[in-house]
């Protein structure tokens, strides 16, 4: 009985399962037939509208600013070298690294004993040469007197000869007397020639004495110059660098002692591209004297100096491109040769250009403007200059149009947009920097760190310490100092 009952239950469950499967198949078949028999429904198409930030394009006169990086250097740099060999016996108190000296100040002395002895010897030689010259001139005077006497004797002897000849012609004198008078006249003429030779020798002696005196004076002047070279003086007011000697050291000729740098004659040298250089030329091809600003970033602020573009490099260096320009700095307080600064050069003004964000321009030189029915149009423009995150453009169909500020791959000509003109409003100027009130302990720690900072110029230290001594200190200054303290 149990086996029969279990068999009937199994048969019942099997039948029920088959029935459910048949019912499910029928449901699937009816659903497929209904789906196939239904007409397809096409959803209503809706155009997508994009919201874009736009700004009006207004033509104006803009003065572009060219930004470059350069190095501050001094226009007057002089190497101090010893002209002679010797021992340094004296140095000026300011003859140290960073010392300031005035024009004409004696910076160092070399032991002048040997040079002064040589000067004394040359002065003695000059005295001897002058005495020799005086003696030679007196000898010339005596020889001239002797020549005059010999000529007078010759004239007397000649007249005596002529008298004897006249007497012999009148048969009064004898032939022997005539011959004797002729021999006497000849001897007198020979004495004149001898006197002339002596005078010539005396005059030659004067010339030799004059030459000797000139040489003695040259030697004396050279000795005096070497004595003067024992004193090393400052050619101009400057600051010393690379000082490499101390008192008592023996230096050789042409040895470098220090380098003089004029801190008030500073200029900045920077490199620009050839295209940027061409923009700074006038109609005659010469460099414009345009204003220049040099900036050096420091703790909590910048050092700023103004100047004028003065000249360009004569040639392009080997393996380099562009042009090297030099700008003279007028007031450069705090700047030192070797500072790496940012240079802003004011270019000639550009008329009728539109200033727009750089994101509005595509690589093909076109911008998107809002046209009729608020659909985008592509307008070709000419890129005049890039200024940071902005561009300066020109275009015939650009003035007064609303330009899309940020292009995306989804935007293009013919796309319908919803302009957002409020985004083009200029941002409000930043508020005044946050000021902090420091505790005495915190203020003391910050001031001690600044005073012990190595490599910070003295002018910067004084400025920062002055800020820290105030009741309220800029938060940016405090944060930068504490960040370095933590490092």
């Amino acid at each position: 009985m149990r086996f029969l009952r279990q068999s009937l239950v199994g048969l019942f469950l099997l039948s029920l399962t088959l029935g459910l499967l048949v019912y499910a198949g029928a449901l699937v078949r009816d659903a497929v037939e209904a789906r196939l028999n239904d007409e397809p429904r096409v959803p209503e198409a809706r155009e997508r509208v994009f919201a874009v930030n736009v700004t009006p394009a207004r033509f104006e006169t803009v003065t572009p600013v060219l930004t470059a990086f350069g190095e501050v250097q001094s226009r007057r740099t002089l190497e101090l070298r010893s002209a002679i060999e010797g021992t340094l016996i004296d140095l000026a108190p300011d003859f140290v690294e960073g010392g300031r000296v005035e024009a004409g100040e004696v910076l160092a002395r070399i032991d002048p004993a040997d040079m002064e002895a040589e000067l004394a010897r040359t002065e003695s030689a000059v005295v001897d040469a002058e005495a020799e010259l005086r003696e030679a001139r007196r000898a010339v005077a005596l020889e001239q007197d002797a020549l005059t006497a010999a000529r007078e004797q010759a004239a007397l002897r000649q007249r005596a000869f002529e008298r004897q000849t006249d007497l012999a012609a009148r048969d009064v004198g004898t032939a022997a007397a005539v011959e004797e008078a002729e021999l006497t006249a000849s001897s007198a003429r020979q004495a004149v020639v001898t006197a002339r030779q002596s005078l010539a020798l005396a005059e030659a002696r004067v010339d030799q004495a004059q030459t000797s005196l000139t040489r003695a004076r040259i030697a004396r002047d050279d000795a005096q110059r070497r004595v003067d070279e024992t004193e090393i003086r400052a050619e101009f007011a400057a600051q010393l660098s690379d000082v490499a000697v101390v008192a008592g050291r023996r230096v050789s000729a042409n040895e470098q002692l220090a380098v003089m740098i004029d801190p008030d004659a500073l200029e900045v040298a920077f490199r620009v591209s050839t295209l940027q250089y061409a923009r700074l030329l006038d109609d005659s091809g010469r460099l414009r004297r345009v204003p220049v600003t040099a900036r050096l970033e420091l703790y909590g602020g910048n050092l700023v100096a103004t100047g004028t573009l003065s000249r360009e490099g004569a040639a392009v260096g080997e393996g380099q491109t562009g042009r090297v320009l030099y700008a003279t700095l007028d007031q450069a307080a705090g700047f030192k040769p070797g500072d790496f600064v940012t240079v802003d050069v004011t270019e000639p003004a550009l008329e009728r250009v539109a200033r727009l964000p750089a994101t509005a321009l595509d690589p093909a030189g076109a911008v998107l403007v809002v046209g009729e029915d608020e659909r985008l149009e592509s307008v070709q423009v000419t890129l005049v200059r890039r200024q940071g995150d902005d561009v300066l453009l020109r275009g015939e169909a650009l003035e007064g149009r609303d330009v899309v500020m940020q292009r995306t791959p989804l935007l293009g000509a013919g796309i319908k947009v919803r302009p957002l003109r409020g985004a083009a409003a200029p941002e409000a100027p930043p508020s005044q920097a946050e000021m902090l009130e420091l505790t005495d302990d915190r203020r003391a720690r910050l001031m001690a760190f600044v005073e012990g900072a190595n490599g910070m110029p003295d002018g910067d230290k004084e400025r920062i310490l002055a800020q820290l001594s105030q009741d309220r200190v800029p938060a940016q200054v405090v944060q930068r100092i504490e960040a370095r303290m933590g490092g």
Side-chain angles (χ1 to χ4, degrees):
M1 292 295 294
R2 181 181 298 175
F3 174 75
L4 180 60
R5 186 173 60 251
Q6 292 177 347
S7 299
L8 293 176
V9 171
L11 181 60
F12 173 76
L13 292 176
L14 178 62
S15 301
L16 181 60
T17 302
L18 292 176
L20 292 174
L21 291 175
V22 172
Y23 179 71
L27 290 177
V28 172
R29 183 196 62 187
D30 294 341
V32 171
E33 290 178 354
R35 181 65 178 173
L36 294 176
N37 293 329
D38 289 344
E39 295 182 358
R41 293 181 299 172
V42 179
E44 182 179 359
R46 296 179 58 187
E47 183 177 7
R48 186 176 180 182
V49 180
F50 296 90
V52 294
N53 295 324
V54 297
T55 181
R58 297 185 179 91
F59 282 175
E60 56 184 343
T61 300
V62 179
T63 302
V65 176
L66 186 154
T67 301
F69 300 96
E71 181 181 2
V72 177
Q73 58 189 26
S74 177
R75 296 195 304 274
R76 290 201 297 178
T77 301
L78 176 65
E79 293 182 354
L80 283 180
R81 295 181 178 272
S82 60
I84 59 176
E85 180 181 0
T87 303
L88 289 174
I89 59 174
D90 189 17
L91 290 178
D94 293 330
F95 198 88
V96 292
E97 186 71 24
R100 289 183 176 269
V101 297
E102 299 299 329
E105 180 181 351
V106 178
L107 303 181
R109 283 189 176 91
I110 298 176
D111 188 0
D114 295 339
M115 279 63 72
E116 289 177 348
E118 181 64 23
L119 177 61
R121 285 192 293 270
T122 56
E123 289 178 345
S124 177
V126 169
V127 173
D128 292 342
E130 291 175 348
E132 174 66 19
L133 178 61
R134 289 193 298 269
E135 183 180 352
R137 286 173 177 172
R138 287 195 297 267
V140 168
L142 293 175
E143 292 297 337
Q144 288 177 346
D145 293 342
L147 177 60
T148 301
R151 286 175 175 171
E152 292 176 354
Q153 288 288 333
L156 292 175
R157 299 298 183 184
Q158 182 64 29
R159 288 197 295 272
F161 169 65
E162 292 176 354
R163 186 168 53 253
Q164 290 295 330
T165 303
D166 183 59
L167 292 174
R170 290 183 294 170
D171 295 331
V172 176
T174 63
V178 172
E179 290 179 358
E180 183 178 358
E182 184 177 4
L183 289 175
T184 303
S186 177
S187 298
R189 289 194 297 271
Q190 182 64 37
V192 171
V193 174
T194 302
R196 290 178 61 189
Q197 290 177 348
S198 299
L199 178 60
L201 293 176
E203 291 175 346
R205 182 183 175 188
V206 171
D207 295 337
Q208 292 177 355
Q210 185 67 48
T211 302
S212 299
L213 178 59
T214 302
R215 290 176 179 174
R217 287 174 176 173
I218 292 174
R220 182 195 59 186
D221 294 341
D222 184 66
Q224 182 64 53
R225 177 180 58 81
R226 295 180 68 81
V227 171
D228 295 339
E229 288 175 347
T230 59
E231 291 186 351
I232 301 175
R233 296 180 177 270
E235 296 295 330
F236 51 87
Q239 197 168 9
L240 299 182
S241 176
D242 297 337
V243 178
V245 292
V246 295
R249 175 179 170 181
R250 186 170 183 83
V251 295
S252 59
N254 201 38
E255 180 178 351
Q256 178 175 319
L257 309 181
V259 177
M260 294 180 58
I261 299 175
D262 191 346
D264 298 325
L266 297 182
E267 64 181 7
V268 58
F270 56 97
R271 184 175 293 275
V272 298
S273 66
T274 306
L275 178 60
Q276 292 172 333
Y277 166 74
R279 295 170 182 166
L280 298 174
L281 300 179
D282 57 16
D283 296 337
S284 61
R286 302 183 67 85
L287 196 65
R288 300 177 186 268
R289 298 298 188 264
V290 296
V292 172
T293 302
R295 292 181 286 107
L296 177 63
E297 297 183 358
L298 299 172
Y299 293 97
N302 296 331
L303 282 180
V304 180
T306 59
T308 306
L309 198 62
S310 58
R311 66 188 190 280
E312 70 271 21
V316 180
E318 183 178 357
Q320 297 180 346
T321 59
R323 302 289 186 270
V324 177
L325 303 182
Y326 298 89
T328 302
L329 300 180
D330 300 329
Q331 297 294 332
F335 286 84
K336 295 294 182 182
D339 284 339
F340 186 74
V341 297
T342 303
V343 183
D344 295 331
V345 182
T346 303
E347 298 185 24
L350 299 176
E351 298 181 353
R352 291 190 56 77
V353 294
R355 191 184 192 104
L356 296 174
T359 53
L361 184 66
D362 67 357
V367 296
L368 294 176
V369 300
V370 180
E372 297 181 358
D373 195 23
E374 295 186 341
R375 295 187 180 276
L376 296 180
E377 299 177 5
S378 180
V379 176
Q380 286 294 131
V381 294
T382 301
L383 176 62
V384 180
R385 198 83 85 253
R386 292 187 180 271
Q387 292 288 285
D389 295 332
D390 297 335
V391 290
L392 303 181
L393 306 175
R394 284 197 180 107
E396 295 296 335
L398 189 61
E399 185 174 9
R401 306 290 295 275
D402 289 334
V403 182
V404 177
M405 298 175 60
Q406 295 91 16
R407 298 180 63 110
T408 66
L410 299 178
L411 300 180
I415 299 296
K416 188 175 181 61
V417 296
R418 179 165 54 88
L420 301 178
R421 294 179 175 82
E427 296 182 358
S431 59
Q432 185 178 4
E434 182 182 357
M435 307 295 287
L436 297 179
E437 293 184 0
L438 303 179
T439 62
D440 294 340
D441 181 64
R442 188 179 184 185
R443 190 189 309 274
R445 286 189 292 105
L446 294 175
M447 296 181 70
F449 175 77
V450 173
E451 290 175 351
N454 295 326
M456 183 185 300
D458 295 338
D460 300 340
K461 286 186 180 181
E462 295 176 358
R463 182 175 56 82
I464 297 174
L465 291 175
Q467 290 179 334
L468 293 176
S469 62
Q470 301 295 326
D471 295 336
R472 297 173 64 84
V473 183
Q476 184 180 10
V477 176
V478 176
Q479 292 173 0
R480 290 190 177 184
I481 298 176
E482 290 181 341
R484 289 183 173 269
M485 293 172 63

